[in-house]
Amino acid sequence: SSREGGLPLNEAVSFSLHPLLLPQALLPRYGEGLFTEYVAFLPLTVILLAMVAVWRWQRMAQVLPPLALAGSGLFLALGRFNPLYLLLAGLPGFSYFRAPARWMALYALGMALLAGIGLDILRRRYAGEGVASNAHPLRLGVGLVIGLILLGFASVPLAQVLPVGPEAPVAPPSWLQVVAWIAELALAYWLLRRLPRVSGRQRQATVLGAGAAILVALFLASRTLPYNNLTTPAAYLQLRPPIARLIALQRCDLLPEQCSPVPGRLLSLSQIFFDPGDLPEIQAIYAERLSEEALYDYIIAVKQKEIIAPNLPLAFGLASVDGFDGGLLPLRDYIALMDLILPPGVTTGDGRLREYLDAVPEARWLDLFHARHVITDKVGDVWRQGVFFDTQLAQTIEAGAMAIAGYLPQYEATDLWLLAGEPDGTVSVTTVAGDTWQLEAEVLEDGLLRYPFPEPAILREIVLSAGDTDWQVTALALVDRRDATFQSVVLGAYRLIYSGDVKIYENLDVLPRAFLVGSWHWAPNAAASIDAMSSEDFDPAREAVIVGAGTVSNGGVDAESSATIVSYAAEEIIVETDSDTAALLVISDAYYPGWHVTVDGKAADVRQVNGLFRGVLLSAGEHEVRFWFSSPPFAAGRLISSATIVALSAALLLAVFKNLARRGGRDMMDVAGS
């Protein structure tokens, strides 16, 4: 797990309940919302009933467990504002736990149990089981609520001294809320003071009145919670074009020539700063049917489905590089492996990449991760002199290096236009006819370069070579000056397969999910293997780093060697391989305890390869390799659950038989007595 060994202290105490937020968290907020991690409000009637139980904690042992729940929950929820929690956060268990405010679940449960005990106390009072007076605990409850209200008003000036996080700024109670609180306090105090003094139908009506006050308060205060902000079901059910495009690529009956038994993964890099192209239609359809907030939520949902993030691939059976499906889990080793593509000093604790990547990662890593599709937006794309430039795959070509546009459309052009820095480099093109031209630059305007062709031609390849300094190339376009048309192209082996609100590129050089390499060396642990992979010379298509100790190989595999996935399922993968030399089979799925492998029916060792993935060493020749998953903890849990069900069933049957026996004995005694 990414939390193995515990979270850093700053993460373990993130989203702690700020003391100044207690009024907003614990009192019903009519008409106002609060960051949901901090929500634990209860009706004031429940608070008064709980105080009735708390008042008798010394005389009633059953009060202590729920009191401990409520007190410890509130105590722990303070997190970083609680010196003791700062010590606990370094201990096993606590060190794995994030968002201390969630401990308020114990507070809410404990208070509900205390309220139930308090109601029992007040109801039993008429039967002579109560104590002298219930006025003191009720007054205590009223005083506690009034204290929270006053703290709510004082929280704004106090926040200048003790700042509150931006996720939940302090806000004083509105006068509407104060009136509602006072009304409920007065009603609850009157009902609960009256309850022990009445009997029969009056007592029943009083209890129903208190219950009604609780339900009304819960209903009104929960209106602003996110789960009550409903929007159209289309927000989830509607299939947006990017999702449909990727699903179609998995349908062998629709696109047999593009179908693969193991669909490639996607990596979404797009933000949601764009407006959907069908926004006017959305507004025309839903403006009168949805509230302003619900319409806003639907539009956000539409944009998230356009970029297929976060975690939306799960809903549509798509595999993702940074999700929880498709063979990659955000494990500890995954987090470390992402250092290869994230900017220096940036880490992701939960596996999400989109928030941290501002450019398409280096191609070799996308190839290794089996990232067949990359999703980007169009916000940064530009028009210059009537030509559209796709800026999402910009590259900085290092001094002395070169970059190639690997996929070019069948389009006859007269010029190549570049959005780039000063032309400290050369541009050469190769036509489909086999001619190669070295082109000379003309500066059209600042940052816009034009390279005219000797004659109109359809290109097969474009090669950009940097000179003595790095060359920043933002975008390319083929232009036909004869009819003022153009075609955008990108550097690297990428092909644009969809262009709408977002763009989807196909990675043409992506490695298969299963492939063979003939060169490998060993590293003592996953971290060391990732360090070795960070070398500029490391090529995952030819070599690998295995965690462990063994014999180094500096060979290669023959061009005719193959690894074919015959069957791919969540818990079983069958691969057929053929190689003239010893080879390492790499499966770009997460290495995890519980995976086993057989080669031609004989057990072999599953190796941790390239920091995160699975592999197995093979001898020369043809082999059938079967990976299968079996989890010992799952098997143990199944056994324990089965035994528990049997024991509970036996206990239930025994209780039934004993009850029947007692009834039979009483019937016999009745017969004898008669």
Side-chain angles (χ1 to χ4, degrees), residues 433-552:
D435 298 324
T436 299
W437 299 326
Q438 295 287 337
L439 305 181
E440 297 294 330
E442 297 179 6
V443 179
L444 296 179
E445 59 182 62
D446 185 34
L448 180 59
L449 308 176
R450 171 175 170 258
Y451 292 84
F453 300 163
E455 61 185 48
I458 299 175
L459 300 186
R460 186 178 65 201
E461 186 178 69
I462 300 173
V463 179
L464 278 59
S465 301
D468 296 332
T469 60
D470 294 349
W471 191 14
Q472 175 66 39
V473 179
T474 303
L476 302 83
L478 294 170
V479 178
D480 189 344
R481 283 180 292 141
R482 298 171 298 179
D483 56 8
T485 60
F486 58 85
Q487 284 277 354
S488 296
V489 296
V490 295
L491 291 174
Y494 299 100
R495 178 171 70 98
L496 185 66
I497 63 170
Y498 172 82
S499 181
D501 290 331
V502 299
K503 295 173 294 188
I504 303 178
Y505 301 94
E506 181 184 8
N507 179 6
L508 301 175
D509 282 346
V510 66
L511 289 169
R513 188 68 67 92
F515 59 95
L516 297 172
V517 297
S519 176
W520 60 83
H521 60 275
W522 301 77
N525 50 54
S529 70
I530 295 171
D531 286 342
M533 294 169 62
S534 63
S535 168
E536 294 183 359
D537 298 329
F538 181 80
D539 182 359
R542 298 186 301 103
E543 58 185 316
V545 184
I546 308 175
V547 174
T551 303
V552 174

Side-chain angles (χ1 to χ4, degrees), residues 117-128:
I117 296 173
L119 181 61
D120 283 344
I121 291 172
L122 296 180
R123 293 178 65 185
R124 289 201 305 267
R125 172 72 192 279
Y126 181 78

Side-chain angles (χ1 to χ4, degrees), residues 79-262:
R80 66 186 179 92
F81 303 101
N82 181 347
L84 180 58
Y85 195 93
L86 295 177
L87 298 176
L88 294 174
L91 299 179
F94 281 92
S95 62
Y96 308 143
F97 188 81
R98 191 167 170 263
R102 296 176 185 175
W103 286 109
M104 286 197 296
L106 299 185
Y107 160 80
L109 175 61
M111 290 291 285
L113 294 172
L114 288 171
I117 296 173
L119 181 61
D120 283 344
I121 291 172
L122 296 180
R123 293 178 65 185
R124 289 201 305 267
R125 172 72 192 279
Y126 181 78
E129 298 178 8
V131 293
S133 172
N134 65 333
H136 297 308
L138 292 177
R139 290 168 185 164
L140 174 64
V142 170
L144 177 63
V145 171
I146 292 176
L148 287 173
I149 295 174
L150 294 177
L151 177 60
F153 283 106
S155 62
V156 175
L158 289 175
Q160 303 300 319
V161 181
L162 191 60
V164 180
E167 75 281 355
V170 294
S174 67
W175 290 111
L176 174 63
Q177 291 172 338
V178 173
V179 170
W181 290 336
I182 292 176
E184 186 187 355
L185 267 183
L187 177 62
Y189 185 83
W190 177 74
L191 288 172
L192 300 182
R193 283 283 286 142
R194 182 174 182 267
L195 181 59
R197 300 190 178 99
V198 296
S199 61
R201 292 185 177 180
Q202 289 184 329
R203 182 169 63 171
Q204 187 177 12
T206 302
V207 172
L208 291 176
I214 291 172
L215 291 177
V216 169
L218 281 174
F219 177 81
L220 294 177
S222 64
R223 291 306 88 197
T224 57
L225 294 179
Y227 71 84
N228 281 321
N229 296 334
L230 303 180
T231 189
T232 170
Y236 180 79
L237 299 175
Q238 185 184 39
L239 205 63
R240 298 293 296 183
I243 297 174
R245 181 72 174 95
L246 294 181
I247 290 176
L249 292 174
Q250 299 183 15
R251 292 281 301 274
C252 295
D253 56 332
L254 296 177
L255 299 168
E257 72 284 354
Q258 300 183 37
C259 175
S260 169
V262 186

Side-chain angles (χ1 to χ4, degrees), residues 63-85:
V63 171
L64 295 179
L67 179 59
L69 272 180
S72 61
L74 199 57
F75 180 77
L76 295 173
L78 295 174
R80 66 186 179 92
F81 303 101
N82 181 347
L84 180 58
Y85 195 93

Side-chain angles (χ1 to χ4, degrees), residues 368 513-522 538 540-547 551 553 555-558 561-563 575 577-579 581-588 597 605-611 613-620 623 625 627:
L368 176 61
R513 188 68 67 92
F515 59 95
L516 297 172
V517 297
S519 176
W520 60 83
H521 60 275
W522 301 77
F538 181 80
R542 298 186 301 103
E543 58 185 316
V545 184
I546 308 175
V547 174
T551 303
S553 170
V557 293
D558 188 83
S561 298
S562 63
V575 185
T577 67
D578 184 8
S579 176
T581 61
L584 171 68
L585 172 64
V586 179
I587 300 282
S588 57
V597 67
D605 293 327
V606 179
R607 305 290 184 176
Q608 185 172 359
V609 178
N610 291 343
F613 305 117
R614 300 196 295 271
V616 59
L617 291 168
L618 303 173
S619 60
H623 300 287
V625 183
F627 291 89

Side-chain angles (χ1 to χ4, degrees), residues 275-286:
D275 286 333
D278 57 345
L279 182 59
E281 289 83 357
I282 292 174
Q283 293 172 330
I285 294 171
Y286 293 106

Side-chain angles (χ1 to χ4, degrees), residues 626-651:
R626 175 177 175 258
F627 291 89
W628 53 281
F629 183 79
S630 175
S631 170
F634 177 79
R638 182 171 54 190
L639 178 62
I640 294 172
S641 297
S642 301
T644 302
I645 291 172
V646 170
L648 288 175
S649 301

